[in-house]
Amino acid sequence: MSDSVAIDARRILLRYGAPISTLDRVDEQDQIRFARIIARTALPERQKRLRELLREGGYLEAAEA
């Protein structure tokens, strides 16, 4: 993947509430995959869906959500 795709993915995830400390642990491929899923999610549901993806991926504890 190009760097611009990875940078855009990170921006999308940050915009919809991914904690920076958590996002630093998410590998680049998962960041891109999560951002693509979020982009196809209805706007009001994006933050909630992102938290679910991070928990399912093992990047976010239930207490952090």
Side-chain angles (χ1 to χ4, degrees), residues 6-7 11-12 20 29 36-37 42 44 46-47 53 55 63:
I7 291 168
R11 283 185 187 143
I12 288 169
I20 293 172
Q29 288 181 341
R36 287 179 175 161
I37 293 168
R46 287 181 181 180
Q47 186 174 14
L53 290 169
R55 271 194 310 276

Side-chain angles (χ1 to χ4, degrees), residues 8-60:
D8 287 343
R10 188 171 177 89
R11 283 185 187 143
I12 288 169
L13 299 177
L14 288 169
R15 174 174 290 183
Y16 291 105
I20 293 172
S21 60
T22 300
L23 197 52
D24 287 342
R25 295 190 312 258
V26 179
D27 64 54
E28 191 174 281
Q29 288 181 341
D30 277 347
Q31 288 183 25
I32 293 168
R33 183 171 61 88
F34 294 165
R36 287 179 175 161
I37 293 168
I38 294 306
R40 292 187 303 256
T41 303
L43 188 59
E45 298 296 318
R46 287 181 181 180
Q47 186 174 14
K48 179 182 174 192
R49 181 66 178 130
L50 176 56
R51 296 286 178 150
E52 290 171 356
L53 290 169
L54 291 170
R55 271 194 310 276
E56 290 168 8
Y59 298 109
L60 189 65

